[in-house]
């Protein structure tokens, strides 16, 4: 952790994780707004939510990849590695949920899924809302890893006396 080089492997994760957080959060908000405005797939709210969902989902998987890279380095310095495991599980859950939402939304948008468009729209929104729950859990446990468990910020004493 005392390496002054900025381009350490474990630094790639915080560099890549914040874009999908913002994109997926705003995609969910836009999708919710579109539920109350109009139910067609071509409204501004629907199109904007779809673009943010697709890029946010892609970013979530990139963040999981960079998180796996950082895991091998950061986990050696943690006093309680179960927090890192909780972070990883929440991250995978949110990535799977937003991926399912992306597949359904893209399938509907490309007319591959023609079954009950309003129902699909509602299912996509529900998947995204549950995904936001896991996004909050992943963010909270990620903050615990960074600020309480020395995941790149705080260097504990050799005996972890402060924990």
């Amino acid at each position: 952790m005392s390496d002054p080089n900025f381009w350490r492997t474990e630094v790639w994760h915080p560099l890549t994780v914040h874009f999908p957080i913002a994109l997926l959060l705003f995609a969910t908000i836009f999708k919710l707004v579109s539920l109350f405005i109009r139910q067609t797939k071509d409204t501004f709210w629907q199109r904007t939510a779809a673009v943010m969902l697709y890029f946010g989902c892609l970013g979530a998987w990139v963040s999981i990849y960079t998180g796996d890279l950082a895991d091998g380095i950061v986990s050696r310095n943690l006093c309680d590695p179960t927090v890192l495991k909780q972070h990883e599980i929440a991250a995978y859950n949110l990535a799977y949920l937003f991926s399912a939402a992306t597949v359904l939304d893209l399938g509907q948008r490309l007319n591959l899924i023609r079954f009950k468009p309003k129902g699909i729209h509602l299912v996509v929104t529900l998947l995204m809302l549950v995904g936001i729950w896991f996004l909050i859990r992943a963010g909270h446990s990620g903050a615990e890893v960074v600020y309480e468990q020395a995941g790149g910020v705080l260097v504990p004493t050799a005996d972890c006396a402060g924990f």
Side-chain angles (χ1 to χ4, degrees):
M1 289 298 145
S2 62
D3 184 7
N5 183 8
F6 179 75
W7 299 110
R8 300 181 318 255
T9 303
E10 68 269 22
V11 175
W12 286 102
H13 185 60
L15 285 174
T16 58
V17 76
H18 295 99
F19 288 112
I21 289 172
L23 287 170
L24 295 173
L25 183 63
F26 281 107
T28 304
I29 292 170
F30 275 54
K31 196 64 126 174
L32 276 172
V33 169
S34 73
L35 272 178
F36 297 106
I37 294 191
R38 283 179 43 189
Q39 292 288 330
T40 63
K41 63 182 176 186
D42 292 328
T43 65
F44 164 78
W45 298 97
Q46 283 281 26
R47 285 180 295 185
T48 306
V51 169
M52 287 191 289
L53 174 63
Y54 304 155
F55 283 107
C57 185
L58 179 66
W61 286 108
V62 170
S63 296
I64 284 177
Y65 174 74
T66 59
D68 284 343
L69 292 176
D71 182 298
I73 297 165
V74 172
S75 64
R76 288 183 251 154
N77 299 323
L78 299 179
C79 294
D80 182 10
T82 60
V83 176
L84 186 60
K85 193 64 179 173
Q86 291 169 356
H87 177 66
E88 183 180 3
I89 290 169
Y92 271 104
N93 285 336
L94 82 88
Y96 287 132
L97 287 165
F98 280 106
S99 294
T102 298
V103 168
L104 285 174
D105 191 80
L106 198 57
Q108 188 179 36
R109 193 160 288 280
L110 296 175
N111 289 326
L112 299 173
I113 301 173
R114 296 181 185 159
F115 179 74
K116 298 194 180 213
K118 291 181 183 178
I120 296 294
H121 184 82
L122 185 61
V123 168
V124 167
T125 306
L126 289 174
L127 285 170
M128 293 170 74
L129 283 172
V130 177
I132 288 297
W133 166 250
F134 284 106
L135 184 70
I136 291 168
R137 288 185 57 106
H140 184 265
S141 58
E144 285 180 326
V145 167
V146 171
Y147 296 113
E148 294 180 0
Q149 296 289 319
V153 175
L154 179 65
V155 179
T157 59
D159 60 353
C160 294
F163 296 97

